[in-house]
Amino acid sequence: MAKFQSLSEAVAENLKDGDSVAFEGFTHLIPHASAHEAVRQGRRDLTLIRMTPDVVYDQLIGMGMVKKLVFSYAGNPGVGLLRRLRDAVENQWPRPLEVEEHSHAAMANAYEAGAAGLPCAVFRGYKGAGLKDVNPNIRSVTCPFTGEELAAVPAIRPDVAFIHAQKADRKGNVLIEGIVGVQKEAVLAARRSVVTVEEIVESFEGVHPNACILPHWTITSVVQVAGGAHPSYAQGYYPRDNAAYLEWDKIASDRGAFQAWMEENVLAVGPEIFATRVAPLQEAAR
């Protein structure tokens, strides 16, 4: 049964040092507010998991919170590379970073296997690809029925998954509209889960039941954080803040500028700042 909490309470209870954690979102509904609260609480030695690590993972890595990254594609979408991630890999700053790279197909299948309680995911993939030469967790199995050689990767089962959504009702059922990546699978695969939402409503009247992606019994904690996906977007609430992504490339290119930005915009503020950041975007979209 979902518990309604503040963001600080939800992070404190569900995310511990050394955990494997997925802050999942696919261009849309990326849980920035949850990740920033993890920064404020000083979590360490995390294994980050995500299909498409972008700006918020660059921030977590740059703050020295991460020992390992399990991912498929990493970059500042529409802009370029992740400079704090690259600095960690190439220069071990602020600490060495272990990486385990997969394809999107492998990550999606691995999440689904985790959600189903299976030990691994089996799928067609990686034939002729060089990634398996540098990732020992990419293996092959032979189908016992057809003799076909298939790819196999370990199931993904995070200690905790964080996602952002548009709405939750008073029972804790979660509504997601628009692009859905692997948020559902990440929550179902995780041992604990925290869902931040734009608003909490009495019920989902007028909404088709299939839009309720996650029922309340699959979720550990629900938190209302208006604007909690910024600078990514939340369909129906605010658009993507493209300027913020462009600016991040400049900020992250210098260690000192990065640290100063994190101090001013994350460490020195609380989750309520997200609502003020999206207000100009909402006004411009009208």
Side-chain angles (χ1 to χ4, degrees), residues 3-7 10 194-197 200 221-225:
K3 181 190 297 187
F4 290 86
Q5 295 182 291
S6 69
L7 186 57
V194 176
V195 182
T196 55
V197 295
I200 295 171
S221 178
V222 173
V223 183
Q224 183 172 354
V225 185

Side-chain angles (χ1 to χ4, degrees), residues 248-268:
W248 182 253
D249 189 57
K250 301 174 185 176
I251 294 163
S253 65
D254 178 81
R255 293 176 183 176
F258 162 75
Q259 291 173 316
W261 190 93
M262 293 297 293
E263 179 63 41
E264 179 180 354
N265 293 279
V266 178
L267 294 171

Side-chain angles (χ1 to χ4, degrees), residues 226-243:
H230 179 269
S232 72
Y233 72 100
Q235 180 173 308
Y237 290 83
Y238 45 89
R240 186 179 189 268
D241 189 349
N242 292 318

Side-chain angles (χ1 to χ4, degrees), residues 53-55 57-63 69 71 74-76 79-99 248-249 252-255 258:
D54 60 1
V55 166
Y57 273 33
D58 212 28
Q59 294 169 359
L60 297 173
I61 290 165
M63 293 299 288
L69 178 65
F71 72 107
N76 183 344
V79 181
L81 54 80
L82 293 178
R83 297 185 182 276
R84 293 300 93 223
L85 168 59
R86 183 168 183 170
D87 203 8
V89 172
E90 293 184 348
N91 303 308
Q92 293 76 55
W93 192 93
R95 61 177 292 178
L97 178 68
E98 182 183 351
V99 294
W248 182 253
D249 189 57
S253 65
D254 178 81
R255 293 176 183 176
F258 162 75

Side-chain angles (χ1 to χ4, degrees), residues 28-280:
H28 180 229
L29 297 173
I30 297 169
H32 282 259
S34 294
H36 284 182
E37 182 59 30
V39 174
R40 285 189 287 271
Q41 294 192 17
R43 291 294 177 266
R44 306 291 296 180
D45 296 326
L46 300 176
T47 295
L48 290 187
I49 305 166
R50 189 162 158 212
M51 279 186 65
T52 53
D54 60 1
V55 166
V56 75
Y57 273 33
D58 212 28
Q59 294 169 359
L60 297 173
I61 290 165
M63 293 299 288
M65 300 167 61
V66 186
K67 66 178 181 180
K68 182 178 180 179
L69 178 65
V70 181
F71 72 107
S72 57
Y73 170 81
N76 183 344
V79 181
L81 54 80
L82 293 178
R83 297 185 182 276
R84 293 300 93 223
L85 168 59
R86 183 168 183 170
D87 203 8
V89 172
E90 293 184 348
N91 303 308
Q92 293 76 55
W93 192 93
R95 61 177 292 178
L97 178 68
E98 182 183 351
V99 294
E100 181 180 325
E101 186 175 0
H102 288 280
S103 67
H104 279 346
M107 292 287 288
N109 277 278
Y111 269 124
E112 191 163 349
L118 297 172
C120 68
V122 177
F123 61 103
R124 289 189 176 94
Y126 288 125
K127 290 185 178 180
L131 202 54
K132 59 186 177 183
D133 298 330
V134 295
N135 183 349
N137 276 335
I138 299 171
R139 304 186 188 181
S140 62
V141 296
T142 301
C143 175
F145 303 103
T146 66
E148 181 182 3
E149 184 178 308
L150 300 168
V153 295
I156 292 177
R157 300 213 60 196
D159 292 310
V160 56
F162 290 86
I163 68 169
H164 188 73
Q166 282 96 344
K167 296 177 183 178
D169 67 13
R170 295 293 177 184
K171 293 181 180 179
N173 301 306
V174 171
L175 174 79
I176 300 179
E177 297 176 296
I179 293 175
V180 178
V182 291
Q183 290 100 312
K184 177 180 72 174
E185 290 79 6
V187 167
L188 295 178
R191 294 169 176 82
R192 303 179 297 279
S193 57
V194 176
V195 182
T196 55
V197 295
E198 292 294 322
E199 60 178 326
I200 295 171
V201 298
E202 291 300 325
S203 65
F204 298 146
E205 291 184 10
V207 177
H208 194 283
N210 285 355
C212 180
I213 298 295
L214 291 162
H216 62 88
W217 50 267
T218 65
I219 298 161
T220 308
S221 178
V222 173
V223 183
Q224 183 172 354
V225 185
H230 179 269
S232 72
Y233 72 100
Q235 180 173 308
Y237 290 83
Y238 45 89
R240 186 179 189 268
D241 189 349
N242 292 318
Y245 285 91
L246 290 168
E247 185 64 20
W248 182 253
D249 189 57
K250 301 174 185 176
I251 294 163
S253 65
D254 178 81
R255 293 176 183 176
F258 162 75
Q259 291 173 316
W261 190 93
M262 293 297 293
E263 179 63 41
E264 179 180 354
N265 293 279
V266 178
L267 294 171
V269 300
E272 65 279 353
I273 193 68
F274 281 84
T276 66
R277 287 172 177 167
V278 301

